[in-house]
Amino acid sequence: MHDALLKELSGFDCLLISYSGGIDSTLLAIFAQKALHERAKCILFDAPIVPRRAVNDAMEIACKFGLSYSILPFSIMGNEEFRKNSPNRCYICKKQSARILREQAEKLGISNIADGINASDLDEYRPGLQASNEEKIIHPFLSLEIQKTEIRQIAKKCGFDFWNKPSSSCLASRIPYGEEITLEKLKMVENAENIMHDLGFSNLRVRLHGKIARVELIPEEFEKAINIRHRIGELLQECGFSYVTLDLKGYRSGSMDEVL
């Protein structure tokens, strides 16, 4: 897979990477840089739907690996249709971000844009993938049928310390479809998740249901959460939640899609 990915990326004259600092886009960016050198550029979006922790982490990783990147503001909250939070929300967001990437690529004289979508993403509800395809964004991992687990294996084999980095996602995914997305709700969720991370929890999500926080943790960390439940409750109530619950199904990606 290592050699196949390098060969795939070497086939491009130049490449603009949609970079988030997650394991997928980071591995893609590093390999693109190895294959294309200065002809590989990265764009990191900065928006209220992206946790500050994730943006800072992405910048640190980019500096560590010497990635050539630029940060672009992304004003998706100005889009009324996005704020309505329909099941098509990700399509709306990806369509707008893809067009910004296209504009930036044209300014840089780059003809191809790539993202970190992989074969495992096809098993989930991903309306944003349609938008990316419509805007001619390419998916090297998908072209090579590389799964998420294989991406982690490649990163581990290369000695990259981010190989087991927990997955991150847009903060809007914490809000139920049909409930308006607001800056206040996004900040509530972000603050709550920061608190949980600071308390030592790893893979997690804090889903917002009105004034209720539905906390998703990996089952191995349930006991720890129960032991400090009063502290968690106090801290999350300070974020604006009236009630704090622990989801017994545990952490799973895209749990808000289960109602679809």
Side-chain angles (χ1 to χ4, degrees), residues 36-106:
L36 303 173
H37 307 288
E38 72 280 355
R39 292 175 289 131
K41 308 291 183 182
C42 298
I43 293 295
L44 171 64
F45 282 120
D46 187 0
I49 59 173
V50 182
R52 297 301 88 200
R53 184 186 293 259
V55 172
N56 293 334
D57 192 36
M59 291 190 292
E60 290 179 7
I61 292 174
C63 291
K64 178 178 180 179
F65 289 95
L67 301 178
S68 175
Y69 77 100
S70 298
I71 300 177
L72 288 183
F74 183 35
S75 57
I76 187 61
M77 291 299 291
N79 188 311
E80 182 180 357
E81 288 303 310
F82 174 81
R83 295 198 309 273
K84 289 180 180 178
N85 199 15
S86 72
N88 207 33
R89 176 196 67 223
C90 290
Y91 174 89
I92 296 169
C93 181
K94 189 64 70 173
K95 191 76 172 179
Q96 185 169 325
S97 65
R99 287 174 175 171
I100 294 174
L101 286 172
R102 180 63 61 194
E103 292 172 0
Q104 191 66 19
E106 290 177 358

Side-chain angles (χ1 to χ4, degrees), residues 90-91 94-95 97-99 101-102 113-115 117-118 122 126-140 142-143:
C90 290
Y91 174 89
K94 189 64 70 173
K95 191 76 172 179
S97 65
R99 287 174 175 171
L101 286 172
R102 180 63 61 194
I113 305 170
D115 64 19
I117 290 289
N118 60 78
L122 299 181
R126 296 272 181 170
L129 180 57
Q130 179 186 343
S132 295
N133 290 339
E134 290 173 356
E135 295 300 321
K136 303 298 188 293
I137 308 297
I138 60 176
H139 322 292
L142 195 55
S143 298

